[in-house]
C-alpha cells in the first residue's frame, strides 16, 4: 500500500517539476510521505462515508444545548419573580365591581364580583346599618324620576342619566332606621368593562347617599338609587354596568 501511494506521489512530482530533475528520498523520508498520504486518504474516505463530523457544528450544537439547560441570570430572575411578557390592554390598576386600591370589601377572593358583591361593598363602604341592599338593575333616562311634573334630575344636552336601582329592605320584625355615612366613599360606574364615570350627586330623597335617617317599618322595602351622568354615545352602546366602590 505504501509503495503504491509513493509511486503516485512521485509521478505527480515529476509532472509538476518536469524532467529536468529527479528527487531522491531516503527510506525514512519515503515512510514519512507514505504515512502522511495514507492519513489523508483514510480521512477523505471516512468523510465520504459520514464517519467524520464537522467539529464546528458539534461545538455549536453543544453550546445551544448548554444554553437551554442553563438560562441566563436575567431569564432565571424573571421567572422566579413571576415576571412574564403578556399581551392585551390595561392600566395596571384593575377595578372589580367595588375595589381599586387593594381593599376587598364585599368582594370574593377570586375577584369575580357580581351585582350582589357590589351591594355588599356599598353596605361596607357607606357603613349602612339597619337595612339590607339588593341589586335590582339599571336604566337609561333623560330625567329621574320619570314621572311628569315630579321634582327630579335632568340629564342635560347630549347626556343621559344612568340610574342604578337597589332594593333597600328592613329584614327584621321591628322598626328600623337606616344609617349611611358617605363621607369617605368613592363610587364609580364601570361601563362595558372600561369607561369609568363618577357618581352624580343629587338631592333626591332616595339617593342612597342621602338616605341616612330614613325610617322603615318591619319588612318594608324602598327603592334606593345611584345616578351617573353619561354621554349620549356611551348610553347607546351599554352592554354591562359594574359599580366600583372604594374608600378614600
Amino acid at each position: 500500500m505504501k509503495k503504491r501511494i509513493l509511486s503516485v506521489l512521485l509521478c505527480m512530482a515529476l509532472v509538476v517539476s518536469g524532467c529536468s530533475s529527479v528527487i531522491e528520498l531516503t527510506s525514512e523520508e519515503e515512510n514519512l510521505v507514505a504515512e502522511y498520504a495514507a492519513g489523508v486518504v483514510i480521512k477523505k474516505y471516512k468523510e465520504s462515508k459520514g464517519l467524520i463530523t464537522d467539529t464546528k457544528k458539534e461545538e455549536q450544537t453543544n453550546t445551544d444545548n448548554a444554553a437551554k439547560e442553563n438560562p441566563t441570570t436575567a431569564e432565571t430572575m424573571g421567572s422566579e419573580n413571576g415576571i412574564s411578557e403578556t399581551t392585551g390592554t390595561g392600566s395596571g390598576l384593575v377595578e372589580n365591581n367595588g375595589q381599586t386600591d387593594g381593599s376587598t370589601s364585599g368582594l370574593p377572593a377570586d375577584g369575580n364580583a357580581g351585582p350582589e358583591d357590589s351591594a355588599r361593598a356599598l353596605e361596607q363602604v357607606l357603613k349602612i346599618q339597619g337595612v339590607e341592599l339588593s341589586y335590582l338593575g339599571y336604566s337609561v333616562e333623560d330625567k329621574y324620576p320619570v314621572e311628569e311634573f315630579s321634582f327630579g334630575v335632568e340629564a342635560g344636552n347630549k347626556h343621559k342619566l344612568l340610574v342604578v336601582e337597589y332594593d333597600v329592605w328592613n329584614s327584621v320584625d321591628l322598626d328600623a332606621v337606616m344609617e349611611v355615612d358617605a363621607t369617605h366613599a368613592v363610587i364609580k360606574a364601570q361601563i362595558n368593562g372600561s369607561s369609568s364615570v363618577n357618581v352624580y350627586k343629587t338631592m333626591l330623597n332616595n339617593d342612597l347617599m342621602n338616605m341616612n335617617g330614613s325610617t322603615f317599618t318591619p319588612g318594608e322595602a324602598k327603592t334606593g338609587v345611584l345616578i351617573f351622568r353619561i354621554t349620549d354615545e356611551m348610553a347607546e352602546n351599554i352592554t354591562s354596568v359594574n359599580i366600583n366602590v372604594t374608600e378614600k
Side-chain angles (χ1 to χ4, degrees), residues 169-177 215-222:
W169 177 44
N170 175 18
S171 61
V172 300
D173 293 331
L174 298 171
D175 291 338
V177 178
T215 59
F216 291 75
T217 59
E220 182 181 7
K222 299 179 182 180

Side-chain angles (χ1 to χ4, degrees), residues 35-239:
E35 288 178 5
Y36 175 81
V40 172
V41 172
I42 293 172
K43 181 179 178 181
K44 293 297 183 182
Y45 174 79
K46 289 184 177 181
E47 287 179 347
S48 66
K49 295 297 183 180
L51 298 177
I52 297 179
T53 58
D54 191 338
T55 57
K56 291 184 180 180
K57 292 183 179 179
E58 286 184 345
E59 292 174 357
Q60 182 63 40
T61 301
N62 293 335
T63 301
D64 293 340
N65 291 336
K68 291 179 180 179
E69 295 175 358
N70 300 292
T72 62
T73 303
E75 292 173 342
T76 304
M77 292 176 62
S79 176
E80 290 176 352
N81 288 300
I83 302 171
S84 60
E85 184 177 354
T86 59
T87 58
T89 58
S91 64
L93 183 63
V94 181
E95 298 182 351
N96 287 316
N97 292 332
Q99 303 304 318
T100 60
D101 61 351
S103 175
T104 56
S105 299
L107 295 180
D110 60 6
N112 295 321
E116 291 306 315
D117 297 311
S118 70
R120 301 289 78 76
L122 280 169
E123 289 178 350
Q124 294 186 33
V125 176
L126 292 176
K127 298 178 174 59
I128 293 176
Q129 296 184 21
V131 295
E132 298 177 7
L133 296 186
S134 295
Y135 174 80
L136 293 177
Y138 69 87
S139 62
V140 177
E141 311 290 350
D142 290 317
K143 61 170 291 188
Y144 183 85
V146 296
E147 290 80 13
E148 193 173 2
F149 305 118
S150 62
F151 169 77
V153 180
E154 295 187 357
N157 187 38
K158 296 183 180 180
H159 285 77
K160 300 289 184 186
L161 297 178
L162 174 64
V163 183
V164 182
E165 296 185 333
Y166 291 88
D167 183 62
V168 186
W169 177 44
N170 175 18
S171 61
V172 300
D173 293 331
L174 298 171
D175 291 338
V177 178
M178 181 177 180
E179 296 182 16
V180 179
D181 182 3
T183 305
H184 301 291
V186 177
I187 304 174
K188 297 182 179 183
Q190 190 178 57
I191 300 173
N192 301 340
S194 57
S195 301
S196 186
V197 182
N198 290 323
V199 69
Y200 190 58
K201 295 182 179 180
T202 75
M203 297 179 64
L204 297 174
N205 290 332
N206 66 329
D207 186 319
L208 282 179
M209 294 185 292
N210 299 333
M211 292 183 70
N212 184 53
S214 298
T215 59
F216 291 75
T217 59
E220 182 181 7
K222 299 179 182 180
T223 299
V225 299
L226 293 174
I227 295 179
F228 303 87
R229 188 168 180 263
I230 60 177
T231 64
D232 287 339
E233 183 180 359
M234 293 175 65
E236 292 174 357
N237 300 289
I238 295 179
T239 59

